[in-house]
Amino acid sequence: MSFQPHPSWARLTEDKQQPWQTLSSQELAGPPRRVLQDRVQVRPGVETDYQYRPRGHQAVFVLPVTEAGEAVLIRQYRYPLRATITEIVAGGVERGEAPLDAAARELKEEVGGEAAEWVALPGFYTQPSISGVVFLPLLALGVRLGDTAHEATETIERFTVPLAEAYARLARGEIQDGSSCLVLWQARAELERRGLL
Amino acid sequence: MSFQPHPSWARLTEDKQQPWQTLSSQELAGPPRRVLQDRVQVRPGVETDYQYRPRGHQAVFVLPVTEAGEAVLIRQYRYPLRATITEIVAGGVERGEAPLDAAARELKEEVGGEAAEWVALPGFYTQPSISGVVFLPLLALGVRLGDTAHEATETIERFTVPLAEAYARLARGEIQDGSSCLVLWQARAELERRGLL
């Protein structure tokens, strides 16, 4: 299967020029969810302490669309919210794993899907003030659905809706996960171009 | 000035029904960036530890559009990324502050702007797996620009571009903050309806 990463993905990197200087760094929590606290010089005479999740971790978002032109969405219970919200497929890229392989794995695990074709969408950061995690979104096309394989600590329910209905819910603010909303918006032109929406 | 919160904002709440049960809770970090670690029962026989930022905090995102129909964007250095990225105005809602007042304050502080009219857009969560923070986006219209008042620990540069150019950059993946991208997408129909785009 031919697959091209989105050109933006290669640009989600550190700048050559750094206006702030790291004076010292301390690890508050180790892998897999590393948290650092650095002493930083913002400019001469201005220092601050900065807690953050450093770069080094990637996550994928996958919008699966079936051969029949339906969006595959999930309802997932999110403990920090004490609420079940509508999302698209997502998960972390494991060490040594290619983003496309992580996307295919999460598609299989979370909704039991296999895609005939993949389209990369623009990458982004979700919380640049506190996290260096890079998010890589993909549109999965021609998806066939089979059995799911949820982790024991996930509470996920799969459902499909016609694409037009998914976009109507998006416009009404009924999809409450920001990254899922963004990926739906990003995918819209491609879905229209293919006559799927 | 008449202002209506978006209907979705009132729905960014806890569910009545909770599939997971909290067995115990421990505060790892206090205000203003509270972090809890809870022992949780996912289902009978399955327990897990969950670290997260609890509900109670709101943030606003503001897309300012000038009277001349230009988007006001910022270039902000984000230390966790070691990179300067393009974003819209954003900031936390302070205790006792109304979201609209927080939006007006951040608009003034970050880009020196004052808006003639505000339009509320659909609310969202940015990191529902680890954070209960609620994000409330607003479109600020008829914005006049004056002096900025950045915090000492912010490295922010303001710039304006024609709206069409802002949306071209969005489509190319050149705006790397996910929430800023989402708010641009959300605002698009309203800007088109007003003949600004």
Side-chain angles (χ1 to χ4, degrees):
Chain A
M1 189 185 335
S2 81
F3 173 75
Q4 292 294 324
H6 193 275
S8 67
W9 292 9
R11 296 193 301 263
L12 293 161
T13 53
E14 296 188 6
D15 293 345
K16 281 178 190 158
Q17 197 184 339
Q18 295 294 324
W20 296 12
Q21 289 196 330
T22 308
L23 303 175
S24 65
S25 185
Q26 179 187 358
E27 188 172 83
L28 299 184
R33 300 197 71 83
R34 282 181 83 210
V35 177
L36 302 183
Q37 176 165 308
D38 292 4
R39 186 70 184 167
V40 176
Q41 182 182 288
V42 175
R43 62 182 66 85
V46 178
E47 293 183 10
T48 189
D49 291 312
Y50 210 111
Q51 274 186 27
Y52 65 104
R53 188 157 182 220
R55 279 186 180 274
H57 195 74
Q58 297 178 320
V60 288
F61 277 86
V62 179
L63 173 60
V65 175
T66 65
E67 293 175 301
E70 293 192 307
V72 184
L73 303 176
I74 60 176
R75 296 277 298 162
Q76 180 159 16
Y77 178 69
R78 293 302 199 173
Y79 181 72
L81 307 179
R82 305 292 199 278
T84 296
I85 62 171
T86 299
E87 305 181 15
I88 64 172
V89 168
V93 178
E94 293 175 0
R95 184 187 289 267
E97 193 178 36
L100 180 60
D101 294 335
R105 179 178 51 72
E106 290 289 346
L107 177 63
K108 183 78 180 163
E109 288 174 5
E110 292 201 342
V111 300
E114 287 188 46
E117 188 180 354
W118 293 90
V119 177
L121 300 167
F124 56 90
Y125 305 105
T126 56
Q127 288 258 264
S129 64
I130 55 169
S131 170
V133 177
V134 169
F135 288 78
L136 306 174
L138 300 100
L139 173 60
L141 292 162
V143 170
R144 291 179 186 218
L145 296 178
D147 291 338
T148 59
H150 297 154
E151 294 172 37
T153 54
E154 288 179 332
T155 300
I156 294 179
E157 182 192 331
R158 170 186 91 191
F159 68 102
T160 58
V161 289
L163 277 167
E165 170 63 17
Y167 281 90
R169 292 186 190 189
L170 176 70
R172 290 195 299 263
E174 292 172 11
I175 299 177
Q176 297 181 330
D177 174 53
S179 299
S180 297
C181 291
L182 174 55
V183 178
L184 279 161
W185 284 114
Q186 288 178 333
R188 188 170 197 162
E190 180 70 22
L191 294 171
E192 286 173 345
R193 200 177 64 75
R194 290 168 180 257
L196 288 165
L197 185 65
Chain B
M1 189 185 335
S2 81
F3 172 75
Q4 292 294 324
H6 192 276
S8 67
W9 292 9
R11 296 193 300 262
L12 292 161
T13 54
E14 296 188 6
D15 293 345
K16 280 177 191 158
Q17 196 183 339
Q18 295 295 321
W20 295 13
Q21 289 195 330
T22 308
L23 304 175
S24 64
S25 184
Q26 179 188 359
E27 189 173 81
L28 299 184
R33 299 197 71 83
R34 282 181 83 210
V35 177
L36 302 183
Q37 176 165 309
D38 292 4
R39 187 72 184 166
V40 176
Q41 182 182 288
V42 174
R43 62 182 67 85
V46 178
E47 293 183 10
T48 190
D49 291 311
Y50 211 112
Q51 274 186 27
Y52 65 104
R53 188 158 182 219
R55 279 186 181 273
H57 195 73
Q58 296 178 320
V60 288
F61 276 86
V62 179
L63 174 59
V65 175
T66 65
E67 293 174 301
E70 292 192 309
V72 184
L73 302 176
I74 60 176
R75 295 277 299 162
Q76 181 159 16
Y77 177 69
R78 292 302 199 173
Y79 180 72
L81 308 179
R82 304 294 199 276
T84 296
I85 62 172
T86 300
E87 304 181 17
I88 63 172
V89 168
V93 178
E94 292 175 1
R95 184 188 289 268
E97 192 178 35
L100 180 60
D101 294 335
R105 178 178 52 71
E106 290 289 346
L107 178 62
K108 182 80 180 162
E109 287 175 5
E110 292 201 343
V111 299
E114 288 187 45
E117 188 180 354
W118 293 90
V119 178
L121 299 167
F124 55 91
Y125 305 105
T126 57
Q127 287 260 263
S129 64
I130 54 169
S131 170
V133 176
V134 169
F135 289 78
L136 306 174
L138 300 99
L139 173 59
L141 292 162
V143 169
R144 292 178 184 218
L145 296 178
D147 291 337
T148 58
H150 297 154
E151 295 173 35
T153 53
E154 288 179 331
T155 302
I156 293 178
E157 181 193 331
R158 171 185 88 191
F159 68 102
T160 58
V161 288
L163 277 167
E165 170 62 17
Y167 281 90
R169 292 186 190 190
L170 176 69
R172 291 196 297 263
E174 292 173 10
I175 299 177
Q176 298 181 330
D177 174 53
S179 299
S180 297
C181 292
L182 174 55
V183 178
L184 279 160
W185 283 114
Q186 289 178 332
R188 187 168 198 165
E190 180 72 20
L191 294 170
E192 286 174 344
R193 199 176 64 77
R194 290 169 181 257
L196 288 165
L197 184 65

